[in-house]
Amino acid sequence: MLYYLFDFLDKQFDLMGASVFRYISFRAGMAAVISLLITIVFGKRFINALRNFQMGESIRDLGLKGQMEKQGTPTMGGIMIISAIIIPTLLFAQIGNVYVQLLLITALWMGLIGFTDDYLKIKKKNKDGLKGNFKVIGQVGLGLLVGLVMVMHPDVVIPELGGMGIEDSSSIVTTIPFFKDNEFQYDWLLPYFLEDYTWLIYVLAVIFIITAVSNGANITDGLDGLAAGTSAIIGLTLAILAYLSGNAVFAEYLNIAFIPNSGELVIFSAAFVGACIGFLWYNSYPAQVFMGDTGSLSLGAIIAVLALVIRKELLIPILCGIFLIENLSVIIQVSYFKYTRKKYGEGRRVFLMSPLHHHYQKKGWHEARIVTRFWTVGILLAILTLATLKLR
């Protein structure tokens, strides 16, 4: 909103200083600062409000050291994160931008699903919360919406590597890391006589990616500060990639897809990073508040949609490696347990406990140590992700 106001003042009255709102860097910096202030300044009041409404976490005893001490800690702190993302975005981004609109919808959509799950667990004393089927339906619905918008919306331009974009193309394009000729067209996945259905393959891919990443973030949210810190690292990396993809000069130099109007995503990403870091003020060990599914599901979905919009979805396994390994640890543990129980009559485990962060807790590592190590790995993965721009 402020962008449009100052743009009007600059054009009509040549107001001194109003032109600074034209610069993405300025608006991104302001969005980050405002999101930080929202979470830090209003965080304590919000936590007290959650405590007054008796929105305390119910902890299931898994035999982990220090676990039961967290009983009653306020949860649903994801509302803080979502608010700190949306408010600066509305103030400083171009709201008419289709990519910004998609991300705002994503934050609210998955936030509502997570809120419903948290509410049922806490207030309705339903230990399972929202049934898994309903969560999946919500994730699939969001993926369907995002996929169809990316395919059909007139403002979504099919990118051309190092070029200015091509508006009329039946192919849906993304980029492959580590290859010089890094253009990948989704119609390559189909025989030539089915190329008209490429959009369907793309929509299915979008649904899978959003579901996988949002669940990965949800599983990762098991230690104080782990999901928020990891998400901040990923968000900062995506902000850099969005800035490069939205700048024709940088895109041509780096031979990556130039995506017109995607530069506005830097403002959203900056607010996202600011919100995650600000939330850590209260969520780092020992946590005064948990984000709950309200936060973790929405953070994962936002990361997925950001990567999809800037055509970097094939970098997700690297950039979101923490989420991936946490997801895989659960799949491996459950699959191996079922297999060995069927074969030997007794279930056996690969890890002491899954997800992976609980494995290290069982080994006696302190919670803060585990989180710091995971953050370090996340930073290394982020650096590797950015290095793919030149490692080909």
Side-chain angles (χ1 to χ4, degrees):
M1 291 183 287
L2 289 178
Y3 169 82
Y4 295 106
L5 172 62
F6 279 88
D7 183 59
F8 171 79
L9 293 174
D10 184 42
K11 290 178 179 178
Q12 297 296 322
F13 305 104
D14 195 23
L15 184 68
M16 183 179 297
S19 61
V20 74
F21 273 77
R22 295 178 185 175
Y23 298 101
I24 289 174
S25 55
F26 172 79
R27 289 185 286 130
M30 290 300 297
V33 170
I34 296 299
S35 63
L36 270 170
L37 290 176
I38 289 173
T39 47
I40 293 175
V41 174
F42 296 101
K44 195 64 178 179
R45 298 178 186 178
F46 182 77
I47 293 169
N48 290 334
L50 288 174
R51 191 174 285 111
N52 291 336
F53 283 110
Q54 298 181 333
M55 305 301 286
E57 182 74 62
S58 179
I59 302 295
R60 185 160 55 102
D61 191 0
L62 300 175
L64 297 170
K65 184 178 179 180
Q67 180 190 22
M68 299 311 295
E69 297 173 6
K70 300 181 181 183
Q71 181 78 27
T73 302
T75 188
M76 301 175 85
I79 298 172
M80 291 167 55
I81 299 174
I82 295 172
S83 300
I85 293 172
I86 290 176
I87 292 172
T89 300
L90 292 176
L91 288 174
F92 296 104
Q94 296 182 24
I95 309 303
N97 184 293
V98 63
Y99 301 129
V100 173
Q101 292 171 356
L102 265 183
L103 283 158
L104 289 173
I105 291 171
T106 297
L108 291 170
W109 187 306
M110 291 308 297
L112 181 60
I113 292 172
F115 176 87
T116 305
D117 185 48
D118 289 334
Y119 183 81
L120 289 174
K121 287 178 183 175
I122 298 166
K123 299 300 288 186
K124 298 300 181 181
K125 307 301 180 183
N126 183 342
K127 64 178 182 178
D128 296 323
L130 188 65
K131 289 185 178 180
N133 290 340
F134 290 110
K135 284 185 185 180
V136 172
I137 290 171
Q139 291 166 331
V140 170
L142 176 62
L144 188 62
L145 172 66
V146 173
L148 291 175
V149 169
M150 290 292 290
V151 170
M152 298 180 178
H153 198 284
D155 290 343
V156 177
V157 177
I158 302 297
E160 181 180 28
L161 293 182
M164 295 300 290
I166 45 178
E167 298 183 8
D168 184 18
S169 174
S170 60
S171 63
I172 301 170
V173 181
T174 189
T175 51
I176 311 173
F178 301 113
F179 286 88
K180 189 74 173 179
D181 184 13
N182 61 350
E183 182 179 88
F184 176 82
Q185 299 182 17
Y186 278 86
D187 58 15
W188 294 347
L189 300 174
L190 295 172
Y192 73 92
F193 57 87
L194 291 177
E195 287 182 357
D196 290 342
Y197 297 96
T198 303
W199 66 271
L200 182 58
I201 297 295
Y202 180 73
V203 170
L204 291 175
V206 170
I207 291 171
F208 172 77
I209 291 168
I210 289 176
T211 303
V213 180
S214 60
N215 285 336
N218 186 236
I219 290 172
T220 303
D221 184 33
L223 298 179
D224 296 350
L226 180 55
T230 303
S231 297
I233 294 165
I234 296 171
L236 180 59
T237 308
L238 288 171
I240 295 170
L241 293 172
Y243 183 79
L244 296 174
S245 296
N247 187 295
V249 176
F250 287 133
E252 183 174 4
Y253 172 72
L254 294 169
N255 193 36
I256 60 174
F258 168 62
I259 305 168
N261 305 316
S262 65
E264 287 299 307
L265 295 175
V266 180
I267 288 91
F268 185 95
S269 300
F272 177 89
V273 174
C276 289
I277 294 174
F279 184 71
L280 282 173
W281 188 273
Y282 300 103
N283 183 240
S284 58
Y285 182 85
Q288 300 174 54
V289 65
F290 300 139
M291 67 172 68
D293 285 4
T294 307
S296 59
L297 287 175
S298 57
L299 288 182
I302 287 169
I303 287 168
V305 174
L306 264 171
L308 285 160
V309 165
I310 61 174
R311 314 285 174 164
K312 297 294 184 290
E313 61 266 34
L314 296 184
L315 280 171
I316 286 177
I318 302 173
L319 178 58
C320 301
I322 297 295
F323 295 166
L324 176 62
I325 196 64
E326 292 274 47
N327 251 336
L328 288 177
S329 68
V330 174
I331 295 171
I332 292 169
Q333 185 87 323
V334 173
S335 300
Y336 187 71
F337 186 87
K338 289 181 177 179
Y339 168 76
T340 52
R341 185 172 59 183
K342 184 178 180 180
K343 186 172 182 178
Y344 304 110
E346 179 186 9
R348 300 174 184 178
R349 294 173 172 82
V350 177
F351 305 102
L352 297 177
M353 183 180 286
S354 65
L356 187 61
H357 55 261
H358 288 326
H359 169 79
Y360 290 108
Q361 277 189 291
K362 282 287 189 180
K363 290 183 70 173
W365 288 25
H366 191 276
E367 185 171 337
R369 179 186 178 191
I370 299 169
V371 171
T372 304
R373 295 284 176 86
F374 274 54
W375 285 356
T376 303
V377 173
I379 292 169
L380 291 173
L381 292 171
I383 293 170
L384 178 59
T385 300
L386 293 174
T388 62
L389 295 171
K390 299 299 289 183
L391 289 177
R392 296 178 190 169

